[in-house]
Amino acid sequence: MKIQTRAVHAGDRRKPQTQIPVSTPVHFAASWINESQAEQDRIFGAEQKGYAYSRYCNPTADALEELVTSLENGHGTLACASGMVALQHALTSVLLDRPRRVLCARDIYGATIKLLFDVMGSYGLETKFADTNDLAALEQALDEFQPGCLLMETISNPLLRVGDMPAIAALCKARNTVLMVDNTFATPLLMRPLEHGADVVVHSSTKYLSGHGDTLGGLITTTEQFHETVRRLSRIAGPVMGPMECFLTMRGIKTFALRMERQCQNSLALAMWLKNHPRIEAVYHPSCPAHPDAAVIDRLLPEGLYGGMVSFEIKGAAKPDIFAFLDRLNLVVKATSLGDVHTMALYPWISSHRDVPPALKAEMGVRESLVRFSAGIEAVEDIIADIDQAL
Ligand SMILES: *Cc1c(COP(=O)(O)O)cnc(C)c1O
């Protein structure tokens, strides 16, 4: 054969290996070959399990999805290209045959608010906010608005509120409202929402699960009731994660529990140290006995595992003071994101909560003097030393 032909065919499409590699290979193929047209016919007709096209399923994605289903104790998982597209696809799937109304926790990731209003709102989705930490008010909101879905985060951003998931799930069940939980901040090490009655769990795996700040990703894990719809719509809409990202995410997850334990220890030590610092006005950490959700935290989170985030206010600090403080940090990485191996700092006032109306910010308790830290896995003495010199 001529070189032009060999360039296209040689080396590829070898027989599947009979030995099992210790890690899942990255399958970059867009499509698969079958033994015969009859076999392809059976696979297309879903009479036989097999691979046809990577928008439907891919072996590297399958491996990641099986892993996450196991961690979240769910029925099935879809790996998506980002946390945001996972949220969008999950909402589209559960609202297919339900009222197109979402009751959204007031304390929620900024881009989620924009997704609900600027993207899905344009297609007729109605969204209202509720305080998921006030069960009586939440019950009233559910009755008045009759949403198809309630969307909340396990640990909220940036004030780290924790809702009473089993109680909220019971309120939703009684009304045939789907409970969707963004579990990004907690990870399945701290909380597995499906075990508490949630129907759908979404992750931005960009954060703790991948953990190294090198890949975007989202995950949708559901009960049996919703998995088929999530899959069926995904085969058409194709929000899927690429095979390289699946590999990186799976590699990251292997150490996520170790990292998360260390990040929880470090954020706890940081919170303790900050509380005694004369420049600090207030510390927000789920370990604080004065935390407004202390009883729920005590019941739902494992002892000592309160998450890797800590937020705090600097006494009398306005925007220029916070800028100066953050500019003085040397070790701490100042970038948007969280959950990475390195400690990160973010100023909600100009970033995540920039577009939140002032009155709503005041109601949420997000003040100009508030900064948010994501503890990394460094030696905590070094993190403290950096923050100390910057204060
Ligand atoms: C980052 C984040 C998202 C969005 O995920 P991407 O991977 O950035 O698309 C959603 N929810 C929470 C809580 C997040 O922190």
Side-chain angles (χ1 to χ4, degrees), residues 82-84 87 109 112 153 182 184-185 204 206-207 216-217 338:
S82 71
M84 292 319 299
L87 276 168
Y109 184 65
T112 304
E153 292 169 3
D182 182 333
T184 302
F185 273 41
S204 166
T206 312
K207 316 293 170 53
L216 280 181
L338 59 111

Side-chain angles (χ1 to χ4, degrees), residues 49-258:
K49 181 142 176 54
Y51 297 102
Y53 193 54
S54 271
R55 199 176 71 231
Y56 306 159
C57 53
N58 169 289
T60 317
D62 275 0
L64 170 64
E65 288 163 354
E66 187 178 319
L67 169 62
V68 176
T69 300
S70 165
L71 297 181
E72 282 291 0
N73 210 356
H75 176 79
T77 297
L78 178 74
C80 296
S82 71
M84 292 319 299
V85 86
L87 276 168
Q88 182 182 9
H89 188 77
L91 287 165
T92 306
S93 302
V94 303
L95 295 177
L96 201 60
D97 53 2
R98 283 189 166 65
R100 309 272 151 80
R101 292 188 290 274
V102 172
L103 190 62
C104 181
R106 190 195 56 195
D107 299 299
I108 199 107
Y109 184 65
T112 304
I113 298 176
K114 287 197 174 153
L115 172 72
L116 291 167
F117 285 95
D118 299 0
V119 180
M120 301 189 76
S122 318
Y123 290 84
L125 185 82
E126 272 184 86
T127 299
K128 281 199 169 140
F129 292 107
D131 181 353
T132 41
N133 295 100
D134 180 344
L135 287 178
L138 182 64
E139 183 162 17
Q140 197 184 340
L142 284 166
D143 283 336
E144 279 170 15
F145 189 47
Q146 301 189 358
C149 176
L150 172 65
L151 175 61
M152 64 181 288
E153 292 169 3
T154 317
I155 301 178
S156 78
N157 176 27
L159 296 178
L160 313 176
R161 299 293 305 264
V162 180
D164 188 345
M165 188 96 57
I168 295 170
L171 291 178
C172 290
K173 275 262 134 76
R175 291 161 179 81
N176 194 25
T177 297
V178 174
L179 176 57
M180 187 180 296
V181 177
D182 182 333
N183 201 28
T184 302
F185 273 41
T187 81
L189 184 70
L190 273 62
M191 176 106 72
R192 291 166 299 281
L194 300 179
E195 292 177 0
H196 295 291
D199 302 289
V200 180
V201 177
V202 176
H203 279 278
S204 166
S205 57
T206 312
K207 316 293 170 53
Y208 288 103
L209 293 180
S210 290
H212 297 74
D214 53 11
T215 181
L216 280 181
L219 301 159
I220 308 170
T221 306
T222 69
T223 57
E224 189 172 5
Q225 189 187 353
F226 295 102
H227 184 63
E228 207 280 318
T229 309
V230 167
R231 272 270 158 218
R232 182 168 60 81
L233 297 194
S234 165
R235 285 169 65 97
I236 306 163
V240 297
M241 190 187 287
M244 189 66 203
E245 285 73 18
C246 288
F247 173 83
L248 287 170
T249 304
M250 201 168 175
R251 184 186 166 102
I253 288 177
K254 294 189 192 305
T255 54
F256 107 88
L258 277 175

